[in-house]
Amino acid sequence: MNELPVDKGTRVKLHFALKFPDGEVIDSTFEKEPASLEIGDDNLPENFEAYLMGMKAGDKGSFQVPPEKAFGQHNPNNVQTFKRHEFSPDMVLEPGVMISFADARQSELPGVVSRVEGDEVEVDFNHPLAGRTLTFEVEIIDVEPAGPAH
């Protein structure tokens, strides 16, 4: 077994799950292929990587991640109101519908319709998991130095 601890510059093979505190699974690799990622490559948010630091192959952990370490607090300024005619006429607009907008830099900005009233459409651009405490479960399968891919 490899004894290398997880650190910057390592490639980690792991199973992970993100859950709500009530146990509802948001995302999990436990029933699938394990994920393989390089620490520092932004595949995992930095705050989640921080929980992995120092773990070794065979280690398991379960962490409660507060919103400020997960996807941030819900920000009321990220909720915006549009007029119905600003959307294409054949677009379904009802609460829960995910819409992708291009922002000023032309990168995609997903928003979720939160309210439709008369000619007003309210769209919430907060991350869907903003404001939520999450449970982050991990099982480290392998840790190796991240060299150039072989």
Side-chain angles (χ1 to χ4, degrees), residues 29-147:
T29 64
F30 281 96
E31 298 73 47
K32 304 186 285 230
E33 288 293 301
S36 189
L37 55 98
E38 211 167 294
I39 297 296
D41 70 358
D42 288 340
N43 256 325
L44 265 186
E46 204 175 311
N47 289 321
F48 286 105
E49 285 186 350
Y51 289 102
L52 305 178
M53 294 300 182
M55 292 179 82
K56 299 187 170 101
D59 286 355
K60 294 179 180 178
S62 180
F63 310 98
Q64 287 287 345
V65 186
E68 50 278 9
K69 282 212 157 85
F71 296 97
Q73 291 291 1
H74 191 272
N75 180 349
N77 296 338
N78 291 343
V79 179
Q80 295 177 19
T81 304
F82 297 88
K83 295 279 179 236
R84 179 67 181 90
H85 64 258
E86 294 178 56
F87 299 92
S88 69
D90 53 0
M91 199 164 182
V92 176
L93 292 175
E94 53 192 42
V97 172
M98 171 89 77
I99 302 176
S100 227
F101 293 82
D103 66 14
R105 294 190 308 279
Q106 288 306 305
S107 56
E108 293 265 303
L109 187 64
V112 174
V113 176
S114 52
R115 195 173 59 87
V116 180
E117 221 165 273
D119 190 36
E120 292 197 341
V121 181
E122 196 176 77
V123 181
D124 188 345
F125 290 101
N126 283 289
H127 189 284
L129 299 175
R132 304 292 301 255
T133 295
L134 304 175
T135 302
F136 180 43
E137 285 178 15
V138 292
E139 179 182 348
I140 307 291
I141 295 165
D142 192 27
V143 182
E144 54 186 36

